[in-house]
Amino acid sequence: MLDNPVTVKPEARQQIQDTLRANKIPGEYGLRVGVRGGGCGSSWLLGFDLPGPSDEVYNVEGVQVIIDRKHLLYVLGAQIGYEPGGFTVEKS
């Protein structure tokens, strides 16, 4: 099992924690990170969700991150950030 397949930047961590608190989202929810679509037309999938049977759950910088095992290879090394307007994902 990987330690941290993705990185959560401090500003994103703060925003995630604030959003969870402000919306009174239950503690068992985490940030789902994945990809939508495939090939050149794929886009990032970010949202709050509950882990399911095909998911791996990681504690990344104090944030519960949920990644479907099928998406793990695609999200490996991604950096989740936040700027005015929303979350950002960069892949190195």
Side-chain angles (χ1 to χ4, degrees):
M1 185 157 142
L2 300 160
D3 283 345
N4 287 345
V6 299
T7 310
V8 178
K9 293 181 176 179
E11 64 276 9
R13 180 177 66 237
Q14 188 61 55
Q15 189 64 33
I16 291 163
Q17 291 168 341
D18 290 350
T19 301
L20 289 168
R21 257 194 310 276
N23 295 296
K24 296 181 173 58
I25 297 172
E28 57 269 18
Y29 278 74
L31 181 71
R32 177 170 297 281
V33 181
V35 288
R36 183 184 287 131
C40 310
S42 66
S43 60
W44 290 100
L45 173 68
L46 287 177
F48 296 106
D49 201 0
L50 286 168
S54 66
D55 294 325
E56 295 288 342
V57 179
Y58 302 90
N59 184 326
V60 181
E61 314 275 334
V63 173
Q64 178 171 286
V65 174
I66 304 165
I67 303 173
D68 186 309
R69 286 185 194 96
K70 294 186 301 261
H71 293 210
L72 203 50
L73 188 64
Y74 302 105
V75 302
L76 206 55
Q79 278 196 326
I80 298 158
Y82 184 82
E83 52 192 40
F87 289 97
T88 61
V89 180
E90 298 168 17
K91 188 124 172 8
S92 48

